Amino acid sequence: MKRWALLLAGLSVTVAGLPQTHEVLNWAPCQEVNKQIADLVAPFPITPFDCANLMVPLDYDEPCTSEKIQLDLFRVNATQKPVLGSVLFNPGGPGGTAAEMLPLVAESGLHLNIGGQFNLISWDPRGTGNTIPFNCSTGESAATGNPVRRGDYRTLPSSNVTQNFIDVGWDIARQKAEDCYATNNGTGEFIGTGSVAHDMISIIDSLGEDGLLRYYGWSYGSALGFYFAAMFPERVDRMLLDGNVNPHTWQLGYRPELFEAVDKAFAAFIDECWKNGKDCALVTELNTTSKAEIWNTMDALIYAAAKNTTTAAGFEAYIAILGLIEQRLYYPKQWPKLAQIFADMLTGKIEASPANSSAPAPQPYNHGVDAIDGIRCSDATFQTAELEEYFPILAQQLNHSRGFGAFYNAVWPCASWKMPDKQQYRGDFKVKTRHPILMVNGEFDPTTPISGAYNASSAFDGSVVLAHNGYGHGIFPSPSKCVAEKIQQYFVHGSLPEAGIACEPDFGPWELAEYYAANNISRPF
Ligand SMILES: *[C@@H]1O[C@H](CO)[C@@H](O)[C@H](O)[C@H]1NC(C)=O
Ligand SMILES: *[C@@H]1O[C@H](CO)[C@@H](O)[C@H](O)[C@H]1NC(C)=O
Ligand SMILES: *[C@@H]1O[C@H](CO)[C@@H](O)[C@H](O)[C@H]1NC(C)=O
Ligand SMILES: *[C@@H]1O[C@H](CO)[C@@H](O)[C@H](O)[C@H]1NC(C)=O
Ligand SMILES: *[C@@H]1O[C@H](CO)[C@@H](O)[C@H](O)[C@H]1NC(C)=O
Ligand SMILES: *[C@@H]1O[C@H](CO)[C@@H](O)[C@H](O)[C@H]1NC(C)=O
Ligand SMILES: *[C@@H]1O[C@H](CO)[C@@H](O)[C@H](O)[C@H]1NC(C)=O
Ligand SMILES: *[C@@H]1O[C@H](CO)[C@@H](O)[C@H](O)[C@H]1NC(C)=O
Ligand SMILES: *[C@@H]1O[C@H](CO)[C@@H](O)[C@H](O)[C@H]1NC(C)=O
Ligand SMILES: *[C@@H]1O[C@H](CO)[C@@H](O)[C@H](O)[C@H]1NC(C)=O
């Protein structure tokens, strides 16, 4: 035993002199990518980044003989010395790219919360960017003009989700799975979260550091964190998961809890509007005199739209209204604007359809247009060819939200998926990691309810959940000095907060714009 320890110690002293067993990353400036991304996200500024790439096996079952693929990596430097190492960041989605996300959140999301002493590294996960981009377009849809067959769920004919599912939803989902199989045969079984966890090992081995993972996983990045931790518990040095999915329902491939918290977040929006009545358009422009009156007004608007769904245009309008609410609940900074849009609808200033509010899309960076389906369905262990077997899942979903269940269709193709990830993780997540995981989760997160964090924490030994009483998806949209301080203690010293404590946000939604202006922070959320 003792001799081993000595041997290992001796090895680590001379390790610099040994031949490299791992490729070392070739970081270099990449002005063109910086410019492309700056143009894409304008008017928001980006943090300059360097680029590198790493060749990894397509198939980790055959690491030596498999074809190699290129991972594109991006790095934002630490801002403070001494530099303590690198933190990997996953851009969420799934299907998000690092190039589009890292430069946007590096300063006001990551450095702010982790502290400036770490280099921030992210990479375009398999299926996204230019890394075997997952695109299920057969190239025929434009020619045949058949949106239903091509998976455009927005043409569903009724607001009754169960009826939609029976009439067309199930068939659309199966067709989507077929199309993806036909267009990604050969690479489609290598883009799941298990394969990406193997890539993370390749990345940390090529950093020239200690071979341990320091990681910030946001949203879907929490699923990636859970998979990595369960597959490689000995490699976890720091893992902060922000906006947590329930790892067990994620693994099944459906998430009945998905809209559990939308109602709660929507109620918070109404509360905050009433609290900020002199600046909330739903009060000032509608002359509402009580919170109940705001509720009634909003209900009337939404239910009128829900009833008017027998035509395609009516259904579009209904989904657009739900979508407007759902998306803006992610970002409390936008709540005053959300109130304004609804006030304008209710006073007849704009039509009750925000569908025409989107700007023309610039040249895309991400070629993985279907990566969101590809990645989550690659992980799915629940498969069935029988429509009836899916009914209980639908029932659970609809039971979780008053009105937002209409969005649920996004996960339907997973039950028919034909390309499970070759590295698919099927275990129960009950592991003890080298260092415990810290989960942080908003109490009002509209898409990753805090129940997911508690559920995960009961599997990962020693992990702790830090609750955040701010609004929005993840902690970035609602800065909190209390949260940042605890996260920095964790990354720098490894210490975890006490279980059961909660942090307050620094600002309410109506104060955020002022804070950003005062601190010269320009960002989308
Ligand atoms: C990051 O730091 C390295 C050296 O530490 C430097 O060469 C590089 O130019 C820096 N990159 C950026 C984008 O500032
Ligand atoms: C997806 O594939 C289709 C059909 O091959 C192609 O026309 C389209 O440009 C691709 N999309 C992207 C973003 O690469
Ligand atoms: C929705 O459709 C299902 C299936 O036809 C039906 O059983 C249910 O009663 C409908 N729900 C409503 C609210 O109409
Ligand atoms: C997928 O590729 C395999 C091997 O190349 C081939 O046998 C199979 O027919 C292909 N499937 C589809 C749906 O194209
Ligand atoms: C609200 O009150 C103002 C001032 O009395 C009035 O001009 C306006 O028409 C009222 N708005 C609505 C929607 O009743
Ligand atoms: C129903 O929706 C259509 C299409 O958006 C719209 O033109 C019509 O005014 C709506 N009817 C009602 C009663 O809201
Ligand atoms: C939608 O378009 C109409 C007509 O061009 C315009 O009056 C309305 O303001 C637009 N709505 C939004 C939310 O931009
Ligand atoms: C719906 O929710 C209620 C209350 O949470 C619960 O008692 C009931 O079992 C749920 N039903 C289904 C079908 O999940
Ligand atoms: C976690 O969630 C799964 C899926 O909903 C459930 O089966 C399991 O009982 C939950 N575990 C705990 C400890 O709550
Ligand atoms: C505010 O930030 C922008 C970049 O976002 C920068 O160009 C400008 O100099 C900053 N202004 C101040 C007063 O710091």
Side-chain angles (χ1 to χ4, degrees):
M1 221 33 214
K2 210 158 185 189
R3 269 197 16 192
W4 258 119
L6 278 174
L7 241 172
L8 287 173
L11 247 180
S12 71
V13 170
T14 56
V15 78
L18 291 174
Q20 291 294 343
T21 47
H22 301 292
E23 190 183 335
V24 171
L25 289 171
N26 52 349
W27 293 112
C30 47
Q31 262 107 23
E32 269 179 39
V33 193
N34 274 254
K35 175 155 191 342
Q36 187 186 357
I37 298 301
D39 289 347
L40 264 175
V41 303
F44 304 107
I46 64 163
T47 307
F49 55 90
D50 296 312
C51 298
N53 47 61
L54 179 67
M55 301 307 287
V56 296
L58 175 66
D59 180 356
Y60 278 99
D61 279 349
E62 318 276 349
C64 301
T65 53
S66 165
E67 179 190 327
K68 297 280 190 286
I69 58 168
Q70 177 178 311
L71 294 183
D72 292 335
L73 291 102
F74 308 91
R75 179 187 68 189
V76 167
N77 285 334
T79 53
Q80 283 170 39
K81 291 205 159 69
V83 177
L84 301 177
S86 302
V87 172
L88 267 56
F89 169 71
N90 170 274
T97 75
E100 289 170 316
M101 196 66 188
L102 179 67
L104 265 185
V105 301
E107 293 300 331
S108 57
L110 293 166
H111 279 327
L112 180 78
N113 285 298
I114 300 174
Q117 287 182 277
F118 295 89
N119 292 322
L120 307 171
I121 292 179
S122 193
W123 73 104
D124 287 347
R126 292 162 178 248
T128 77
N130 295 307
T131 308
I132 48 172
F134 195 78
N135 174 355
C136 301
S137 170
T138 54
E140 289 166 19
S141 54
T144 61
N146 189 342
V148 171
R149 273 184 61 80
R150 295 301 154 205
D152 184 354
Y153 293 97
R154 292 184 308 158
T155 59
L156 295 178
S158 128
S159 61
N160 181 332
V161 178
T162 310
Q163 194 60 51
N164 283 333
F165 178 77
I166 295 167
D167 290 347
V168 287
W170 181 243
D171 289 340
I172 293 173
R174 287 170 70 85
Q175 186 62 46
K176 176 90 188 189
E178 284 290 346
D179 287 352
C180 291
Y181 184 52
T183 47
N184 295 276
N185 194 2
T187 53
E189 59 187 331
F190 302 106
I191 65 167
T193 302
S195 290
V196 177
H198 279 275
D199 285 339
M200 288 164 76
I201 292 286
S202 300
I203 293 170
I204 58 179
D205 281 344
S206 65
L207 289 176
E209 297 181 0
D210 55 6
L212 297 178
L213 178 73
R214 284 162 287 278
Y215 177 65
Y216 192 113
W218 167 72
S219 192
Y220 157 75
S222 66
L224 179 55
F226 297 140
Y227 276 54
F228 182 97
M231 292 164 70
F232 306 106
E234 284 305 314
R235 295 284 200 120
V236 176
D237 183 39
R238 302 283 187 271
M239 180 173 285
L240 186 284
L241 304 178
D242 170 20
N244 294 265
V245 302
N246 177 322
H248 299 99
T249 56
W250 179 271
Q251 186 180 41
L252 288 166
Y254 55 85
R255 294 177 54 210
E257 81 285 4
L258 189 58
F259 295 105
E260 184 177 289
V262 188
D263 294 349
K264 193 172 161 186
F266 187 57
F269 162 71
I270 306 266
D271 279 353
E272 289 287 344
C273 169
W274 180 245
K275 249 203 272 181
N276 293 278
K278 68 177 177 20
D279 297 312
C280 179
L282 283 169
V283 177
T284 55
E285 294 188 18
L286 299 174
N287 306 328
T288 41
T289 55
S290 69
K291 200 162 76 180
E293 207 181 329
I294 306 178
W295 268 113
N296 293 342
T297 308
M298 288 300 295
D299 274 358
L301 177 81
I302 294 168
Y303 284 125
K307 283 201 190 113
N308 182 25
T309 52
T310 46
T311 63
F315 188 77
E316 284 277 344
Y318 173 56
I319 291 295
I321 288 171
L322 293 186
L324 182 70
I325 296 172
E326 217 266 328
Q327 282 303 306
R328 299 221 182 206
L329 289 178
Y330 276 41
Y331 309 120
K333 180 185 115 169
Q334 299 185 7
W335 288 12
K337 174 76 179 160
L338 180 63
Q340 184 67 54
I341 291 173
F342 280 118
D344 287 349
M345 282 182 191
L346 286 157
T347 54
K349 285 193 193 121
I350 58 174
E351 240 185 274
S353 163
N356 59 347
S357 63
S358 55
Q363 189 64 23
Y365 168 84
N366 186 3
H367 292 282
V369 285
D370 292 302
I372 186 165
D373 292 316
I375 295 169
R376 66 182 160 202
C377 292
S378 292
D379 295 349
T381 56
F382 175 80
Q383 301 272 296
T384 180
E386 303 304 326
L387 172 139
E388 289 78 11
E389 283 189 25
Y390 213 83
F391 285 167
I393 299 170
L394 272 187
Q396 276 183 53
Q397 163 72 24
L398 296 173
N399 199 25
H400 271 305
S401 171
R402 217 163 143 250
F404 292 90
F407 285 120
Y408 189 43
N409 52 36
V411 288
W412 290 345
C414 295
S416 306
W417 206 247
K418 301 192 145 181
M419 298 173 288
D421 183 25
K422 260 194 107 178
Q423 304 299 326
Q424 193 184 63
Y425 174 73
R426 297 185 189 83
D428 65 3
F429 301 98
K430 288 204 165 73
V431 299
K432 182 174 170 60
T433 48
R434 183 180 181 279
H435 195 80
I437 301 173
L438 175 57
M439 290 116 181
V440 49
N441 214 103
E443 286 278 2
F444 300 90
D445 191 310
T447 188
T448 51
I450 196 164
S451 59
Y454 289 122
N455 185 289
S457 185
S458 66
F460 291 98
D461 202 3
S463 62
V464 169
V465 177
L466 173 63
H468 175 36
N469 285 329
Y471 303 120
H473 179 36
I475 61 172
F476 297 166
S478 230
S480 162
K481 288 196 179 72
C482 167
V483 167
E485 186 205 308
K486 304 239 170 335
I487 293 179
Q488 284 168 35
Q489 291 289 321
Y490 175 71
F491 271 100
V492 177
H493 303 292
S495 47
L496 289 111
E498 256 173 78
I501 64 166
C503 280
E504 295 305 315
D506 298 339
F507 308 98
W510 265 258
E511 298 163 338
L512 275 169
E514 216 174 294
Y515 160 72
Y516 290 137
N519 289 276
N520 196 29
I521 297 171
S522 164
R523 59 181 208 173
F525 49 80

